[in-house]
Amino acid sequence: PQVSAGRIVTKTANEEAKFLVDWAQFTTLDSSQVRLEVYFQFYNNALEFKRKDKLYQARYYLKIEVEGKGDSPDDTFTKDGKVRVASAKRAALDYRTDQANFLLPPGDYEVKATLKSLDGGPTHTRDFEVQLESRWDKPPRLSDIELVQAVGSRDSSEQTGMDAFHKGGLVVVPSLSRGFGGDGNNPLLFYVEIYKGSADVEEVVVETLIREKNRSMVYRDSVHTKLVEPITRQLRNITVEEFEPGPYELEISILGRRLRELDERQTTFTVHWSVESLMDQDYEALVEQISYIANDKEVDKLEAAETLEERREAFDAFWQKVDPTPGSRTNELKTEFYRRVRVANESFSHMTREGWQTDRGRIYISYGEPDEIDDYPYSLSSVPYQEWHYYRDGRYRKFTFVDVNLDGEYRLQYPYDGLDQRPDF
């Protein structure tokens, strides 16, 4: 971020969500090499856009450095490119997903990913350590679990520049958000490989468990799988429509003779709330969200609905009333509103409170992305605080949020409507 007069100036509320990095390792047919896949996803708001002709353009440079420890080798992946959009603000949350593949001998490595905006914007870095291991000289083993956002056939991708996503005959695009469900009821998708290894095992049982945060099991299945080839690829999808919103743990095990566990892998994912699930399970929360933009009479009508059918009718009636383009297939206001709720949950959730319930989440849902955010970190003379500036609509507002208890929750300060203040930039 750009530092000015002792403050950090940025354009968005959640720095980490701009540039996401994850990884997984897979064994190759060459036992001396392991395939390290580094996944990265960056949003437009991670870049600095400048007007070029009638469009806005941002240039970027991305580098992933793999540094081996001891006798392990080093390797580097680089990529540069341009992003052109008609409106930088409207496209701020559009993103690009890609991956870099490294063939490396087993060993310990440090990985550093850097995304640099080349037109004066900030530089984002992420780093992690990884231990790569070959899994051929042991009984059947599992690869890491790769969460998936989209799948296609290899033939359909030949002209699309998606070679990095190839796995056998599939094109597997990773999910870095680790989020499923939501209004689209997107199923949990994941990819895993089973390595036959050196043992004389012709069949295993693949057991899949899903646990809630409190470790209670909510899903379990077992599939008998024949190990015909050295590498058996499995792409699975599980419906999470009935799952409550929140974090979950996915556990994959392979069992041999007498159901003895041979290997196990775990990862985490999140089930996003949906309007439909809230209407059925937490209608009060649904109404409270809408109250951010509705008047008292509209809220009263929503609260008066008792049965599920009445709730759906009241909900649809409200959004039809405020639809800016009646008769069209899309209610743009409704779409934008629930996009903001989703972003608020991803950016501002704190302990047991969802992001939309926090002060910053409420302001974000009500007014959208700030035009500018001044982030003042902790100092000896001040607790952390942020100032959000809105001025694009011609009426200036400034909201001040203070981390009073140093617990990461920023509380809104007076004036609560953000009005009658002078800009300080």
Side-chain angles (χ1 to χ4, degrees):
Q2 299 174 341
V3 179
S4 174
R7 70 186 188 186
I8 300 175
V9 181
T10 182
K11 291 288 185 181
T12 62
N14 188 351
E15 189 71 21
E16 290 187 3
K18 298 177 184 179
F19 181 42
L20 306 178
V21 178
D22 204 349
W23 62 275
Q25 62 172 302
F26 299 88
T27 293
T28 70
L29 292 175
D30 181 353
S31 60
S32 66
Q33 290 188 321
V34 179
R35 187 173 79 254
L36 171 64
E37 297 183 355
V38 179
Y39 314 123
F40 52 92
Q41 179 175 292
F42 61 91
Y43 289 74
N44 284 353
N45 60 17
L47 307 175
E48 187 73 19
F49 282 83
K50 292 190 174 181
R51 187 70 179 263
K52 186 175 179 62
D53 299 325
K54 295 183 178 180
L55 299 175
Y56 292 86
Q57 176 177 288
R59 299 179 302 134
Y60 66 88
Y61 172 75
L62 185 127
K63 179 165 69 173
I64 298 176
E65 302 168 274
V66 181
E67 181 179 344
K69 298 182 179 180
D71 296 330
S72 300
D74 299 340
D75 203 352
T76 302
F77 167 90
T78 61
K79 180 177 183 176
D80 53 42
K82 298 177 182 177
V83 179
R84 304 188 77 185
V85 297
S87 170
K89 288 190 180 296
R90 288 190 177 183
L93 295 176
D94 289 345
Y95 63 85
R96 284 148 184 79
T97 304
D98 208 339
Q99 74 182 53
N101 300 323
F102 301 90
L103 291 177
L104 299 163
D108 296 329
Y109 297 85
E110 293 182 353
V111 183
K112 180 178 181 181
T114 304
L115 174 67
K116 182 175 180 59
S117 183
L118 297 179
D119 293 305
T123 297
H124 309 271
T125 60
R126 304 286 181 266
D127 54 73
F128 58 89
E129 295 185 355
V130 58
Q131 183 181 47
L132 302 181
E133 59 176 344
S134 177
R135 298 169 181 172
W136 279 125
D137 56 346
K138 300 175 182 177
R141 299 286 302 277
L142 286 165
S143 71
D144 289 340
I145 303 170
E146 178 183 357
L147 298 179
V148 178
Q149 67 167 291
V151 181
S153 66
R154 187 162 184 167
D155 292 341
S156 66
S157 72
E158 289 181 351
Q159 305 299 323
T160 60
M162 299 181 71
D163 292 349
F165 298 117
H166 285 176
K167 289 184 174 68
L170 297 173
V171 176
V172 181
V173 182
S175 171
L176 280 84
S177 70
R178 296 177 167 266
F180 301 91
D183 284 330
N185 285 326
N186 299 315
L188 167 65
L189 276 171
F190 61 91
Y191 172 88
V192 67
E193 295 179 352
I194 306 172
Y195 308 117
K196 188 173 183 179
S198 57
D200 185 20
V201 178
E202 297 182 354
E203 183 178 275
V204 295
V205 175
V206 181
E207 185 176 69
T208 302
L209 301 178
I210 298 178
R211 303 181 190 275
E212 291 181 301
K213 189 176 182 180
N214 62 7
R215 299 295 296 164
S216 60
M217 186 173 64
V218 296
Y219 179 90
R220 179 177 182 177
D221 72 34
S222 299
V223 178
H224 290 261
T225 302
K226 293 187 178 297
L227 304 182
V228 178
E229 301 294 335
I231 299 177
T232 300
R233 297 178 171 86
Q234 292 208 334
L235 180 70
R236 295 284 309 281
N237 74 80
I238 297 174
T239 299
V240 294
E241 184 176 355
E242 301 299 323
F243 289 18
E244 292 188 3
Y248 290 84
E249 181 179 271
L250 171 66
E251 178 182 303
I252 310 295
S253 303
I254 48 175
L255 312 176
R257 295 183 181 92
R258 299 177 182 174
L259 299 182
R260 180 174 66 90
E261 184 177 286
L262 303 175
D263 199 12
E264 176 189 302
R265 291 289 181 272
Q266 297 177 345
T267 192
T268 58
F269 68 96
T270 299
V271 173
H272 293 310
W273 63 269
S274 67
V275 171
E276 188 66 24
S277 65
L278 277 183
M279 194 173 300
D280 186 26
Q281 301 175 19
D282 196 351
Y283 185 66
E284 290 182 3
L286 187 72
V287 175
E288 187 177 349
Q289 290 172 0
I290 293 176
S291 71
Y292 291 172
I293 63 170
N295 60 43
D296 291 343
K297 286 187 177 180
E298 292 166 337
V299 172
D300 289 342
K301 288 183 179 179
L302 290 165
E303 290 179 337
E306 296 182 356
T307 67
L308 183 58
E309 183 178 353
E310 290 174 347
R311 292 173 181 178
R312 288 197 177 107
E313 290 179 356
F315 177 82
D316 291 341
F318 168 78
W319 286 111
Q320 289 174 6
K321 178 182 177 182
V322 299
D323 188 350
T325 55
S328 66
R329 298 180 61 181
T330 302
N331 185 331
E332 295 84 358
L333 180 60
K334 179 182 177 182
T335 300
E336 171 63 12
F337 178 82
Y338 285 108
R339 182 196 70 80
R340 292 181 185 182
V341 173
R342 175 176 55 80
V343 172
N345 286 338
E346 293 172 353
S347 303
F348 308 121
S349 292
H350 180 263
M351 301 184 70
T352 60
R353 300 182 69 200
E354 292 189 278
W356 69 268
Q357 297 172 305
T358 66
D359 287 350
R360 287 187 297 176
R362 179 171 58 82
I363 296 302
Y364 182 87
I365 292 169
S366 300
Y367 298 99
E369 190 80 14
D371 292 288
E372 183 174 312
I373 294 178
D374 297 338
D375 188 6
Y376 296 83
Y378 174 81
S379 68
L380 294 178
S381 60
S382 174
V383 296
Y385 68 98
Q386 292 182 348
E387 293 178 341
W388 290 17
H389 305 274
Y390 291 85
Y391 45 76
R392 61 177 172 266
D393 295 329
R395 189 177 192 185
Y396 176 72
R397 295 177 187 264
K398 181 174 74 173
F399 297 96
T400 301
F401 305 91
V402 179
D403 185 1
V404 178
N405 298 324
L406 297 178
D407 60 356
E409 183 173 6
Y410 287 74
R411 294 163 173 81
L412 180 62
Q413 306 298 300
Y414 182 85
Y416 305 119
D417 60 5
L419 293 174
D420 301 324
Q421 299 178 86
R422 297 180 62 184
D424 56 358
F425 53 87

